[in-house]
């Protein structure tokens, strides 16, 4: 069937289309109900189906005769180590860790928080939760104690799984003090913590709360996967919203399994036995979907890479991994390739490796800028596919599709575009009143309901926020928070967020949250944090603060204290690129800070001055201070 026919069928015969796709999954109990509406007035997919995600990712493949195939490859240039796990070996480890969790009284529906670096134990812990129906919540290792505490309070985990340290190029980052501090800050306390002691750092354990991973694993024998309802939650993944409180995106089991298997075939063109590498982190949605769940469910070999695109040891790192494991498709963020292009502008290091197995390159996390698209296409001579998605959807909303369901030939790609809406996602561009806009006109990018399987079920313990964040602005649509347009040939262009969320090196951060941290300093009267352009990281946060009268600290001391405060409370990934002290901030007459105008001034763009501006003179005062900052 052609791509356009698939799109039409998914739109016009939604249940029929997804009923067919649901056959990709080996259910414990096949669903009769395909699409239904739940008490929250939201879509349930395959509501009466039963399955187990850990079974699908592991045991199923052993049963199919793939037990000796490599399931997981751990490649860690930062520790100089490599390890492979066959499907049989990984199944055994996951089954044992599931028993370990069970012995810690973890039951179906309990939350388990996972705060880990990029080591196999992170994936094992996730899959073990899935095996017993516990809901995991992985927190990215780059978040500081306070951020971790916020997530502990919201998810209320019974158990926390962590490691003694992470390694950032050459720096050993002790995780245990961060974890201890977070538990101290949090009002919710876990019953126990399971700590994986790494060779690089052995940490002291808290005797009445902490358990050693290896010691617990030594006596475990392993348990079988339980049967779960399609709608039972698989995980909660926190993502930045516009306020200081992150949103806990809840993912179900059944819809997720169908979406993962569907996407591996139809978006990535992968089949069992292929090697798929998502160079991301398990703390982000890309890591959940495409390091752990989808490649394993599809019977591929997946790579967990503990390193960077550069400096571990050089800009040839990605190509070395691709050669060594015969990677068939590589997925990473544009920022990673900008970093590679900066160090190796001629792509000379690419020629040192045999990349003959590599068929396609996939990019996401931020818009693939045309310069990086052209560089990567020219140097690799491979299809370079920008595809657009978010934590909420869990898989790509738009991508460059194959021409038909044999998944061999691709439609042409277009620089700057994220391709076409994937079948099942009915993307429309709306104006401020919710009216659909014609081709080439920029507006709010929205998805007409229902969303396809695999998308968020709700925000954890906050159905109201779920509705107000995504559903109430334009009834009948899910509002993505992104702005963009569709051109006359149907290609979708995502041009950036319409809210206070920014993307820093592929990491989604909230400027509102950074403002809350700055405002918490006793010298700050008011502040604004905006995402400004950065050639490597796409965007970086920049702060402007107004200081209270009578503050005696010097400007330099204050700036340094404020920058450290953001780093300490949110994490190093949120480091402010710069911060300046100003007399006043530009505002509308109703008191709203004109962040967009500030960003345009800093980025040297044409400035939109809203007619509601309170005092035009502020812009003249700020102009000399802001000019040239982002260059
Ligand atoms: N744990 C602890 N600290 C972390 C961390 C983690 N998991 N990840 C990042 N950090 C720290 C870094 O050590 C650094 O600290 P520093 O300021 O003390 O040096 C800071 O956070 C910023 O890190 P990063 O954003 O990675 O910037 P960088 O300059 O070190 O590297 C890139 C730049 C482009 C190479 C890097 O950002 C990168 O590889 N990005 C790709 C991201 C990605 O894959 N995203 C997923 C999207 S699919
Ligand atoms: P996250 O939830 O961390 O995956 O971030 C999702 C956000 O990243 C989206 O809402 C977009 O703003 C941005 N994003 C992700 N992929 C792309 C892409 N291919 N093109 C443009 N923006 C993207």
């Amino acid at each position: 069937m052609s791509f356009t026919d698939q799109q039409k069928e998914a739109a016009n015969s939604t249940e029929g289309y997804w009923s067919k796709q649901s056959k990709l999954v080996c259910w414990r109990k096949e669903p009769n109900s395909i699409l239904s509406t739940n008490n929250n007035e939201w879509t349930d997919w395959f509501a009466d189906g039963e399955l187990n995600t850990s079974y699908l990712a592991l045991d199923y493949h052993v049963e199919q005769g793939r037990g000796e195939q490599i399931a997981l490859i751990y490649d860690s240039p930062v520790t100089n180590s490599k390890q492979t796990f066959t499907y049989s070996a990984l199944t055994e480890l996951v089954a044992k860790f599931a028993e370990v969790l069970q012995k810690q009284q973890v039951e179906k529906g309990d939350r388990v928080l996972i705060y880990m670096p990029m080591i196999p134990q992170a994936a094992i812990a996730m899959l073990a939760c899935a095996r017993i129906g516990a809901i995991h919540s992985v927190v990215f290792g780059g978040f500081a104690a306070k951020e971790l505490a916020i997530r502990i309070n919201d998810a209320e985990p019974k158990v926390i799984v962590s490691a003694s340290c992470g390694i950032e190029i050459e720096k050993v980052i002790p995780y245990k003090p961060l974890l201890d501090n977070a538990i101290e800050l949090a009002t919710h306390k876990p019953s126990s913590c399971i700590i994986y002691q790494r060779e690089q750092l052995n940490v002291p354990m808290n005797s009445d709360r902490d358990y050693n991973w290896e010691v617990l694993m030594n006596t475990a024998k392993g348990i079988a996967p339980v049967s779960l309802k399609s709608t039972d939650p698989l995980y909660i993944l926190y993502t930045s919203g516009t306020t200081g409180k992150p949103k806990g995106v809840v993912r179900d089991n059944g819809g997720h399994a169908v979406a993962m298997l569907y996407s591996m075939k139809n978006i990535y063109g992968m089949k069992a036995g292929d090697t798929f590498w998502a160079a991301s982190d398990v703390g982000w949605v890309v890591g959940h979907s495409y390091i752990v769940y989808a490649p394993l469910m599809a019977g591929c070999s997946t790579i967990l890479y503990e390193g960077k695109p550069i400096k571990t040891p050089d800009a040839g790192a990605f190509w070395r991994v691709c050669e060594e494991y015969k990677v068939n498709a590589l997925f990473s963020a544009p920022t990673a390739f900008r970093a590679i292009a900066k160090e190796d502008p001629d792509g000379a290091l690419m020629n040192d490796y045999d990349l003959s197995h590599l068929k396609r390159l996939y990019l996401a996390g931020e818009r693939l800028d045309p310069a990086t698209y052209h560089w990567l296409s020219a140097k690799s001579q491979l299809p370079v596919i920008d595809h657009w998605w978010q934590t909420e959807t869990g898989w790509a909303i738009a991508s460059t599709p194959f021409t038909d369901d044999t998944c061999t030939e691709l439609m042409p790609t277009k620089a700057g575009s994220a391709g076409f809406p994937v079948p099942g996602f009915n993307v429309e561009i709306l104006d401020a009143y919710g009216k659909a806009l014609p081709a080439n006109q920029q507006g709010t990018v929205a998805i007409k309901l229902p969303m396809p399987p695999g998308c968020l079920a709700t925000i954890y313990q906050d159905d109201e926020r779920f509705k107000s964040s995504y559903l109430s602005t334009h009834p009948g649509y899910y509002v993505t928070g992104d702005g963009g347009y569709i051109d006359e040939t149907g290609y979708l262009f995502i041009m950036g967020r319409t809210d206070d969320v920014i993307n820093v090196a592929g990491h989604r951060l909230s400027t509102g949250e950074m403002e809350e941290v700055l405002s918490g300093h006793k010298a700050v009267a008011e502040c604004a944090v905006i995402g400004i352009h950065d050639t490597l990281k796409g965007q970086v946060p920049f702060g402007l603060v107004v200081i209270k009268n009578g503050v005696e600290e010097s400007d330099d001391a204050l700036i340094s204290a404020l920058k450290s405060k953001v780093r300490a409370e949110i994490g190093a990934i949120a480091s402010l690129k710069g911060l300046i002290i100003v007399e006043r901030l530009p505002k509308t007459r109703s008191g709203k800070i004109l962040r967009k105008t500030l960003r345009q001034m800093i980025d040297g763009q044409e400035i939109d001055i809203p007619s509601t501006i309170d005092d035009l003179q502020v812009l003249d005062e700020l102009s000399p201070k802001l000019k040239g900052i982002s260059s």
Side-chain angles (χ1 to χ4, degrees):
M1 196 196 288
S2 75
F3 166 68
T4 21
D5 286 344
Q6 290 179 62
Q7 257 188 339
K8 273 190 209 143
E9 188 181 329
N12 301 334
S13 163
T14 307
E15 290 204 59
Y17 187 75
W18 290 109
S19 168
K20 251 193 275 170
Q21 309 310 327
S22 73
K23 309 278 184 248
L24 292 165
V25 169
C26 177
W27 298 86
R28 277 267 167 103
K29 176 178 173 289
E30 293 234 359
N32 289 315
S33 161
I34 303 301
L35 193 160
S36 51
T37 303
N38 61 26
N39 295 340
N40 204 16
E41 293 160 46
W42 188 242
T43 312
D44 273 347
W45 282 101
F46 317 113
D48 60 351
E50 287 180 26
L51 75 169
N52 182 285
T53 296
S54 157
Y55 166 81
L56 294 176
L58 300 165
D59 314 58
Y60 171 76
H61 298 297
V62 178
E63 287 169 16
Q64 298 294 308
R66 277 193 283 281
E68 291 318 300
Q69 186 199 307
I70 290 170
L72 180 72
I73 298 162
Y74 168 56
D75 186 292
S76 170
V78 295
T79 58
N80 223 349
S81 53
K82 294 170 189 174
Q83 207 178 349
T84 54
F85 301 82
T86 61
Y87 270 97
S88 294
L90 193 62
T91 306
E92 198 179 315
L93 287 166
V94 168
K96 282 185 176 180
F97 197 67
E99 183 186 324
V100 165
L101 290 173
Q102 213 175 50
K103 285 193 180 143
Q104 296 294 317
Q105 323 306 325
V106 176
E107 291 171 9
K108 183 185 158 205
D110 285 340
R111 276 78 56 217
V112 173
L113 190 141
I114 301 172
Y115 182 60
M116 286 201 132
M118 282 289 286
I119 54 176
Q121 288 69 24
I124 291 169
M126 291 164 75
L127 289 157
C129 290
R131 200 167 188 85
I132 56 173
I135 305 167
H136 64 69
S137 184
V138 183
V139 177
F140 176 61
F143 280 123
K146 191 162 171 244
E147 284 296 308
L148 184 54
I150 293 172
R151 288 156 175 80
I152 293 174
N153 279 341
D154 198 71
E156 301 180 314
K158 191 172 260 181
V159 170
I160 298 184
V161 184
S162 190
S164 55
C165 67
I167 296 145
E168 280 290 295
I169 309 184
E170 282 158 343
K171 266 184 304 184
V172 172
I173 314 253
Y175 273 36
K176 187 65 180 7
L178 292 169
L179 176 64
D180 289 344
N181 188 4
I183 295 175
E184 210 173 297
L185 290 171
T187 48
H188 170 85
K189 311 288 175 195
S191 323
S192 61
C193 295
I194 302 174
I195 310 293
Y196 183 77
Q197 294 275 19
R198 299 188 75 183
E199 220 177 276
Q200 292 72 20
L201 185 72
N202 204 287
V203 288
M205 306 283 263
N206 179 327
S207 63
D208 57 354
R209 191 199 64 201
D210 300 340
Y211 294 85
N212 181 308
W213 171 295
E214 290 292 3
V215 172
L216 298 181
M217 285 289 269
N218 278 342
T219 52
K221 297 199 170 46
I223 52 173
V226 301
S227 194
L228 296 168
K229 283 202 299 212
S230 172
T231 50
D232 282 336
L234 171 66
Y235 68 77
I236 304 166
L237 179 59
Y238 288 89
T239 190
S240 298
T242 49
T243 67
K245 190 168 183 257
K247 303 185 218 180
V249 166
V250 178
R251 189 95 54 220
D252 69 0
N253 272 278
H256 175 253
V258 173
M260 292 298 96
L261 283 163
Y262 175 85
S263 63
M264 282 307 278
K265 174 175 179 278
N266 293 282
I267 297 178
Y268 302 105
M270 292 287 105
K271 54 182 190 327
D274 285 345
T275 302
F276 187 80
W277 180 25
S280 178
D281 190 289
V282 287
W284 304 115
V285 68
V286 176
H288 280 61
S289 295
Y290 296 108
I291 295 177
V292 182
Y293 289 115
L296 292 178
M297 284 190 203
C300 296
S301 303
T302 184
I303 301 176
L304 202 130
Y305 173 71
E306 190 182 26
K308 299 267 175 184
I310 53 170
K311 297 187 187 150
T312 57
D314 57 29
F318 273 19
W319 316 126
R320 192 266 304 162
V321 173
C322 287
E323 176 189 273
E324 198 162 331
Y325 306 110
K326 300 187 169 51
V327 171
N328 302 115
L330 165 61
F331 175 172
S332 195
T335 187
F337 291 103
R338 285 196 297 270
I340 293 172
K342 192 166 167 230
E343 305 254 311
D344 179 24
D346 298 328
L349 290 167
M350 229 182 257
N351 301 327
D352 290 350
Y353 298 96
D354 172 8
L355 301 179
S356 54
H357 292 88
L358 197 53
K359 295 182 196 152
R360 288 174 293 278
L361 300 169
Y362 289 87
L363 290 99
E366 55 176 309
R367 177 172 184 245
L368 174 59
D369 55 288
T372 309
Y373 167 85
H374 289 303
W375 182 85
L376 200 49
S377 303
K379 301 298 169 206
S380 69
Q381 295 291 307
L382 290 167
V384 173
I385 299 164
D386 181 14
H387 61 329
W388 166 61
W389 51 302
Q390 8 182 250
T391 305
E392 289 85 342
T393 61
W395 62 295
I397 310 164
S399 182
T400 296
F402 291 100
T403 49
D404 60 33
D405 48 15
T406 60
C407 303
T408 40
E409 200 187 320
L410 280 169
M411 308 265 276
T413 53
K414 215 181 233 191
S417 164
F420 296 91
V422 169
F425 286 102
N426 303 307
V427 176
E428 289 187 19
I429 309 294
L430 305 181
D431 70 9
Y433 305 100
K435 201 170 120 267
L437 286 167
N440 294 311
Q441 277 200 37
Q442 197 157 320
T444 292
V445 187
I447 300 165
K448 197 165 193 311
L449 301 179
M451 305 268 275
C455 298
L456 77 174
T458 187
I459 291 183
Y460 188 60
Q461 286 185 328
D462 207 344
D463 292 338
E464 280 318 306
R465 189 171 181 202
F466 168 57
K467 287 177 191 161
S468 63
S469 301
Y470 306 107
L471 306 176
S472 42
T473 316
H474 297 303
Y477 290 89
Y478 164 92
V479 172
T480 64
D482 284 306
Y485 64 95
I486 296 178
D487 76 5
E488 65 291 346
T489 49
Y491 282 85
L492 175 65
F493 289 75
I494 299 296
M495 304 309 290
R497 297 287 303 190
T498 53
D499 54 15
D500 299 332
V501 168
I502 59 171
N503 261 287
V504 181
H507 308 318
R508 175 167 161 181
L509 300 170
S510 156
T511 52
E513 191 168 6
M514 295 179 213
E515 289 177 2
E516 282 182 30
V517 173
L518 291 177
S519 308
H521 191 284
K522 59 182 184 315
V524 173
E526 62 176 345
C527 65
V529 175
I530 45 179
I532 64 169
H533 176 73
D534 182 84
T535 44
L536 174 64
K537 297 192 176 184
Q539 279 184 305
V540 282
F542 186 90
L544 296 97
V545 289
V546 177
I547 299 301
K548 286 178 185 158
N549 289 338
V551 171
E552 284 178 3
E553 231 171 324
S554 73
D555 283 4
D556 284 351
L558 204 53
I559 287 173
S560 144
L562 289 169
K563 283 170 114 179
S564 306
K565 191 170 187 299
V566 174
R567 242 181 109 90
E569 291 187 24
I570 302 183
I573 47 162
S575 293
L576 292 174
K577 167 90 177 220
L579 185 138
I580 54 170
I581 295 176
V582 295
E583 293 291 316
R584 316 191 273 159
L585 289 166
K587 290 185 187 166
T588 59
R589 282 190 281 279
S590 61
K592 195 173 176 309
I593 297 171
L594 296 172
R595 293 180 178 77
K596 185 173 168 199
T597 312
L598 286 169
R599 183 168 47 76
Q600 289 167 331
M601 287 172 80
I602 293 181
D603 286 344
Q605 292 170 352
E606 204 173 304
I607 303 170
D608 305 324
I609 304 177
S611 56
T612 52
I613 189 163
D614 183 36
D615 180 359
L616 261 173
Q617 213 189 321
V618 192
L619 299 183
D620 294 336
E621 285 166 22
L622 285 172
S623 180
K625 284 193 159 189
L626 302 186
K627 222 179 197 162
I629 282 179
S630 71
S631 54

